């Protein structure tokens, strides 16, 4: 347990090598003790590390190992989170159809336990996968549903991403006015959350919409604001 806790701390500090080392030690302890629940969590945590490092294939391998163990005894929202993470990596590996199939199970679990934050996260991933498949109509619906789910969640941490995804789809569909509204809402929520990265993302996208609308002076001003955030 101590190794696991230390691994979690190092993960939060983004000290990846140290986190992997502590998780690996904890994995061996859980294996020796026959603790299937603990082992499933450790494998999922290792997947999280490699996902954050952008090593999608390795992350997916850990999630796939964790799932059979988590299905035995994990809490529903923990199981759904691992399934959702596996889908994220499948999509990043160029398998959006497989990701959509995986996400169906995660969404069903989250809906059954009324976990709106999880529902919103899954819907964002669905929208991203649908965009990769060129299905903008269904992607728009997925992002709209994500916005609704996350707007009802007090934390709202993922709401800027849902609004940004919606804006991207609307922009690609040529609905520039609605896209700008989505990006503005994304910026507002990101400012409330003091999330500079997503503030910069929203402002940059607002500048792109202004540019596409031929409003070059406005685009120049908006891009200057984005540079001030970076």
């Amino acid at each position: 347990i101590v190794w696991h806790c230390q691994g979690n701390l190092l993960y939060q500090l983004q000290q990846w090598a140290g986190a992997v080392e502590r998780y690996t030690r904890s994995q061996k302890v859980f294996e020796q003790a026959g603790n299937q629940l603990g082992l499933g969590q450790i494998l999922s945590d290792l997947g999280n590390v490699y996902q954050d490092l952008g090593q999608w294939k390795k992350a997916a391998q850990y999630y796939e190992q964790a799932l059979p163990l988590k299905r035995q005894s994990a809490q529903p929202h923990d199981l759904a989170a691992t399934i959702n993470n596996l889908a994220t990596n499948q999509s990043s590996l160029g398998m959006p159809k497989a990701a959509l199939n995986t996400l169906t199970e995660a969404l069903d679990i989250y809906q059954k336990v009324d976990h709106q934050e999880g529902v919103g996260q899954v819907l964002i991933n669905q929208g991203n996968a649908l965009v990769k498949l060129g299905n903008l109509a269904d992607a728009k619906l997925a992002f709209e549903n994500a916005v609704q789910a996350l707007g009802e969640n007090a934390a709202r941490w993922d709401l800027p991403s849902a609004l940004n995804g919606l804006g991207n789809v609307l922009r690609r569909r040529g609905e520039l006015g609605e896209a700008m509204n989505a990006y503005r809402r994304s910026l507002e929520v990101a400012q409330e959350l003091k999330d500079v990265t997503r503030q910069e993302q929203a402002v940059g996208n607002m500048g792109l919409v202004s540019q596409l609308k031929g409003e070059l002076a406005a685009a120049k001003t908006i891009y200057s604001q984005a540079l001030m955030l970076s």
Side-chain angles (χ1 to χ4, degrees):
I1 294 176
V2 174
W3 296 125
H4 191 188
C5 291
Q6 287 184 343
N8 289 338
L9 175 60
L10 292 168
Y11 174 79
Q12 292 173 348
L13 294 170
Q14 298 185 355
Q15 295 181 17
W16 311 120
V20 169
E21 189 268 337
R22 298 305 194 285
Y23 285 150
T24 301
R25 289 193 183 193
S26 185
Q27 177 185 351
K28 292 177 180 177
V29 172
F30 283 132
E31 286 174 341
Q32 291 172 355
N35 186 332
Q36 299 299 296
L37 179 59
L39 181 57
Q41 185 58 53
I42 286 294
L43 291 169
S44 184
D45 289 339
L46 283 164
N48 293 343
V49 172
Y50 289 109
Q51 177 172 263
D52 286 355
L53 289 171
Q55 297 184 30
W56 315 117
K57 187 173 182 179
K58 198 163 188 176
Q61 289 171 344
Y62 276 111
Y63 290 136
E64 286 169 348
Q65 292 178 57
L67 277 177
L69 301 172
K70 284 201 160 188
R71 290 187 195 281
Q72 295 177 23
S73 52
Q75 293 295 315
H77 65 275
D78 287 335
L79 172 60
T82 299
I83 296 170
N84 189 37
N85 285 334
L86 173 59
T88 298
N89 287 272
Q90 289 173 328
S91 186
S92 297
L93 287 166
M95 299 184 293
K97 288 185 178 180
L100 286 174
N101 289 334
T102 301
L103 288 166
T104 299
E105 182 183 5
L107 183 60
D108 182 60
I109 294 171
Y110 276 135
Q111 288 175 331
K112 284 180 178 177
V113 297
D114 194 27
H115 194 296
Q116 290 304 300
E117 183 178 7
V119 168
Q121 290 168 348
V122 171
L123 289 169
I124 290 171
N125 279 340
Q126 276 191 350
N128 290 332
L130 288 163
V131 167
K132 289 184 177 181
L133 291 169
N135 187 345
L136 298 184
D138 286 346
K140 178 175 178 284
L141 181 60
F143 285 122
E144 287 174 340
N145 288 337
V147 168
Q148 181 177 356
L150 294 166
E152 297 171 356
N153 176 49
R156 300 201 304 167
W157 182 254
D158 293 293
L159 183 54
S161 295
L163 288 163
N164 186 68
L166 176 59
N168 290 343
V169 170
L170 292 166
R171 174 169 50 81
R172 290 181 60 174
R173 285 164 58 98
E175 301 173 36
L176 299 183
E178 291 301 313
M180 181 66 86
N181 290 338
Y183 292 141
R184 284 198 181 107
R185 287 184 62 199
S186 179
L187 175 61
E188 290 170 0
V189 179
Q191 287 172 331
E192 292 174 11
L193 297 170
K194 295 181 173 57
D195 186 333
V196 175
T197 298
R198 287 188 285 186
Q199 287 178 47
E200 181 182 352
Q201 185 181 48
V203 172
N205 282 327
M206 289 166 61
L208 179 57
V209 169
S210 293
Q211 190 175 350
L212 291 170
K213 292 171 70 175
E215 300 171 354
L216 301 185
K220 183 178 179 181
T221 300
I222 293 172
Y223 284 139
S224 297
Q225 294 174 355
L227 288 172
M228 292 175 63
L229 288 168
S230 61

